[in-house]
Amino acid sequence: MKKVLITGGTRGIGKAIALRFIKKGYRVCVTYSKDEESATKMREMGVETYKCDVRKENDIKSLFQRFGAVDILVNNAGVSLIKLTQDVSADEWDDLFAVNVRGAFLCSREAIKGMLSNQKGLIVNISSVWGEVGASCETAYSASKSALIGFTKALAKELAPSGIRVNCISPGVIDTKMNEHFSQDDLALIKEEIPVGRLGKSEEIASAVTFLEENEYITGVDLPVGGGFGF
């Protein structure tokens, strides 16, 4: 049975990805940091859960010791920050990068060890359209997601000879809690800028992940899934 690990997988995009792999008959583990209620619901659906802080090296090492080698790693855990650049503190900048970039690095580093033994594996990093085109008042978030795209492309070249693929998905504006701060008027304006005229669904990002899993000739790509938004 294939094993899949998804960070930040109890809600939104991560949850949709987890449930899609459960339907495929895979053994799935998700990480979470605080939401015990959502974690409990995931366990009821057959998903293993592990509470950890992706910023902490020892937490990640403990996670992989418990769950073991994985066939697929999805680095989905992420946080956002909406502030003018001059109002962002150094600690806020560092903490955002610790989750969005350091967490992906720590998880990938551990996953690679098992994948090298099997000479096969897939890592999918969840970036953002803002990592490609940038967003005003979200410079820290945009920079971290751009870093994740660069990490993807470099790691893909490094690991391709070992049979390990690394890809990235850059969602547009998806209907999740991360975007709940937008007012209805804001959402209406955003929808006007999206060529397909609506927000994306978490399930559509999950579908993109399984597409990348099924096509074994794709590596090093940044796949935008945003209804044409930002391009």
Side-chain angles (χ1 to χ4, degrees):
M1 180 185 295
K2 286 189 176 181
K3 295 168 65 177
V4 183
L5 173 63
I6 304 156
T7 63
T10 59
R11 295 184 299 178
I13 291 172
K15 177 181 178 180
I17 296 169
L19 295 182
R20 195 170 186 91
F21 278 116
I22 281 288
K23 288 180 181 179
K24 293 186 66 147
Y26 293 6
R27 181 182 171 189
V28 179
C29 178
V30 302
T31 73
Y32 68 104
S33 59
K34 297 176 182 177
D35 194 345
E36 295 288 352
E37 182 179 352
S38 294
T40 298
K41 291 179 180 178
M42 293 298 285
R43 288 192 289 271
E44 291 171 352
M45 291 184 277
V47 178
E48 298 177 42
T49 65
Y50 192 89
K51 186 175 183 179
C52 74
D53 185 339
V54 296
R55 300 171 298 180
K56 297 181 178 179
E57 186 173 19
N58 287 339
D59 278 21
I60 299 306
K61 287 184 176 181
S62 177
L63 165 65
F64 277 86
Q65 287 171 359
R66 172 180 168 180
F67 191 57
V70 300
D71 298 284
I72 302 168
L73 167 67
V74 182
N75 286 310
N76 172 71
V79 294
S80 63
L81 178 67
I82 301 176
K83 273 190 176 183
L84 292 169
T85 303
Q86 63 267 32
D87 295 330
V88 176
S89 71
D91 285 343
E92 286 175 324
W93 179 280
D94 290 345
D95 188 64
L96 189 144
F97 266 77
V99 176
N100 295 359
V101 185
R102 175 184 167 91
F105 156 68
L106 290 174
C107 289
S108 297
R109 188 181 64 179
E110 295 304 310
I112 289 167
K113 296 173 184 177
M115 292 177 179
L116 286 172
S117 298
N118 296 327
Q119 289 290 287
K120 191 173 185 180
L122 171 65
I123 297 171
V124 179
N125 296 315
I126 306 299
S127 180
S128 167
V129 63
W130 300 136
E132 298 174 323
V133 302
S136 175
C137 298
E138 293 189 63
T139 55
Y141 180 75
S142 299
S144 71
K145 291 301 187 176
S146 182
L148 202 54
I149 295 171
F151 176 64
T152 297
K153 292 180 177 296
L155 190 60
K157 290 179 179 179
E158 183 176 310
L159 296 177
S162 300
I164 302 167
R165 296 182 298 116
V166 187
N167 292 299
C168 186
I169 293 174
S170 289
V173 185
I174 308 301
D175 189 10
T176 65
K177 287 189 175 182
M178 184 175 282
N179 291 316
E180 283 184 343
H181 62 277
F182 288 118
S183 68
Q184 289 303 310
D185 288 342
D186 288 337
L187 289 174
L189 291 172
I190 290 170
K191 289 176 184 177
E192 288 181 5
E193 294 183 33
I194 301 173
V196 301
R198 65 173 176 84
L199 302 186
K201 301 174 184 177
S202 296
E203 290 75 16
E204 290 169 319
I205 307 303
S207 176
V209 173
T210 52
F211 164 73
L212 291 175
E213 180 222 359
E214 291 164 3
N215 193 318
E216 296 187 354
Y217 200 57
I218 297 178
T219 193
V221 305
D222 170 32
L223 177 64
V225 185
F229 181 68
F231 299 96

